[in-house]
Amino acid sequence: MAACDVFGAGGDRGWDIDITFTVHDGSPSGAQIGPAKKMPSAFQAGGLYVGSVWGPGEVPLTPGNVYYIKMDTGSG
């Protein structure tokens, strides 16, 4: 896996949020694959944009398997 990009509504919290991305095997409670990446969001047309990148081999995936990308703000 190389990257994950998300566009979202800012809501009551606004758009300036740090988000930690993790990739898990099969479900939110599955084993974490690769390192967590904490990224700041940016303003995007009334909401927010945030993305994360991983280097080659950091998040090895197997074709046909199911994975879960978890996004966490640290405060709900």
Side-chain angles (χ1 to χ4, degrees):
M1 180 163 162
C4 174
D5 296 318
V6 178
F7 295 90
D12 293 341
R13 296 192 48 181
W15 63 267
D16 189 14
I17 303 169
D18 286 339
I19 298 176
T20 300
F21 290 83
T22 52
V23 180
H24 298 265
D25 189 17
S27 73
S29 60
Q32 183 175 321
I33 302 169
K37 298 286 182 154
K38 186 173 186 176
M39 306 298 288
S41 64
F43 177 77
Q44 175 64 36
L48 62 87
Y49 166 80
V50 64
S52 183
V53 297
W54 290 271
E58 279 191 306
V59 181
L61 305 180
T62 302
N65 287 3
V66 175
Y67 298 95
Y68 184 87
I69 299 171
K70 187 185 293 185
M71 297 171 47
D72 184 8
T73 63
S75 63

